[in-house]
């Protein structure tokens, strides 16, 4: 696998092989080997509830565990130490069958103690939608996050060949295809849970 440079990113964007919409400030967003992405206006965080645990088999309950916040431009979402929230990229991404995306935090955000993904930094070939971010504050001070703030970066890697069944393929269970904001976990739709294998 090879990582795309800024030259290749610009070329792929111009040819429509990769789509990042809206890419309003390419001069500042396109980095030497990645593209900075901004956080959107919608955040989700867990409520304090009186249940002993989250059960992945009871998917319809998962959304009820979260509060949703819609922020205006200039309004801050405050993430406190030890808190976890979902957000999504402001930009919508579209990948072809032969490229993988990897989302990483920006150094300037990380140095404040904010992480942007727990495990889901991998974007499958064929994915189309906004990227859900798993934001945590592992520092000691509350941090303000603003809509349209550059918060993460996406790196593009070429595959040895195009995927036979990319994300969104009819034979795949692509639960998050076309998402337009932060999506709560759809783990209850996993094959092994949905079909009673566990």
């Amino acid at each position: 696998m090879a990582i795309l440079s800024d030259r290749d990113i610009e070329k792929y964007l111009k040819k429509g092989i990769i789509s990042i919409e809206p890419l309003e400030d390419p001069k500042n967003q396109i980095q030497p080997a990645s593209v900075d992405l901004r956080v959107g206006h919608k955040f989700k965080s867990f409520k304090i509830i009186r249940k002993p645990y989250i059960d992945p088999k009871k998917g319809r309950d998962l959304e009820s565990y979260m509060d949703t916040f819609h922020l205006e431009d200039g309004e801050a979402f405050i993430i406190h130490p030890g808190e976890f929230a979902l957000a999504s990229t402001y930009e919508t991404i579209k990948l072809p069958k032969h490229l993988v995306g990897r989302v990483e935090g920006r150094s300037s955000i990380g140095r404040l103690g904010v992480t942007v993904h727990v495990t889901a930094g991998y974007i499958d070939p064929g994915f189309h939608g906004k990227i859900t971010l798993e934001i945590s504050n592992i520092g000691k001070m509350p941090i303000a996050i603003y809509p349209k703030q550059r918060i993460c970066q996406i790196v593009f890697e070429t595959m040895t060949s195009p995927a036979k069944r990319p994300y969104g393929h009819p034979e795949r269970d692509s639960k998050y295809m076309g998402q337009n904001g932060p999506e709560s976990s759809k783990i209850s739709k996993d094959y092994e849970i949905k079909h009673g294998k566990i």
Side-chain angles (χ1 to χ4, degrees):
M1 293 177 93
I3 293 175
L4 297 189
S5 70
D6 51 359
R7 296 176 190 216
D8 288 324
I9 291 169
E10 289 172 354
K11 181 171 70 176
Y12 279 38
L13 286 166
K14 188 173 182 179
K15 290 184 175 181
I17 298 168
I18 297 170
S19 174
I20 302 174
E21 291 294 333
L23 186 60
E24 295 173 342
D25 191 3
K27 182 179 176 184
N28 286 313
Q29 286 182 259
I30 298 176
Q31 301 299 320
S34 66
V35 178
D36 285 347
L37 300 177
R38 298 167 293 170
V39 67
H41 292 82
K42 189 174 174 183
F43 291 77
K44 290 186 174 193
S45 63
F46 280 99
K47 301 174 186 177
I48 304 297
I49 57 174
R50 299 185 68 174
K51 294 199 177 187
Y53 57 86
I54 293 173
D55 188 342
K57 289 184 178 182
K58 297 182 180 175
R60 61 186 172 275
D61 290 346
L62 294 179
E63 189 67 32
S64 69
Y65 296 168
M66 304 195 88
D67 282 322
T68 301
F69 304 90
H70 296 272
L71 304 182
E72 300 297 327
D73 286 347
E75 189 178 1
F77 179 83
I78 309 299
I79 186 157
H80 293 268
E83 281 190 333
F84 173 83
L86 296 177
S88 66
T89 56
Y90 182 71
E91 294 82 6
T92 298
I93 309 298
K94 187 173 184 182
L95 293 181
K97 294 191 288 187
H98 68 284
L99 286 181
V100 167
R102 291 192 185 276
V103 173
E104 301 292 346
R106 292 183 63 236
S107 174
S108 296
I109 296 294
R111 292 171 199 225
L112 299 176
V114 175
T115 65
V116 297
H117 72 79
V118 177
T119 61
Y122 180 85
I123 312 301
D124 279 308
F127 174 82
H128 178 228
K130 295 182 184 292
I131 299 167
T132 294
L133 304 172
E134 305 154 338
I135 301 174
S136 296
N137 182 349
I138 60 173
K140 294 185 182 284
M141 294 288 291
I143 306 292
I145 299 172
Y146 294 90
K148 297 186 182 177
Q149 178 181 354
R150 288 183 299 143
I151 196 168
C152 63
Q153 58 191 319
I154 187 168
V155 175
F156 302 101
E157 295 182 68
T158 58
M159 298 168 52
T160 55
S161 64
K164 182 179 174 183
R165 296 184 306 139
Y167 200 79
H169 188 278
E171 295 177 16
R172 300 200 75 68
D173 186 18
S174 304
K175 300 186 290 284
Y176 304 106
M177 186 64 145
Q179 61 190 7
N180 196 32
E183 293 278 350
S184 301
S185 175
K186 295 182 181 179
I187 195 169
S188 64
K189 294 183 179 180
D190 281 1
Y191 175 82
E192 65 276 13
I193 294 174
K194 191 163 74 172
H195 296 284
K197 303 287 185 184
I198 58 169

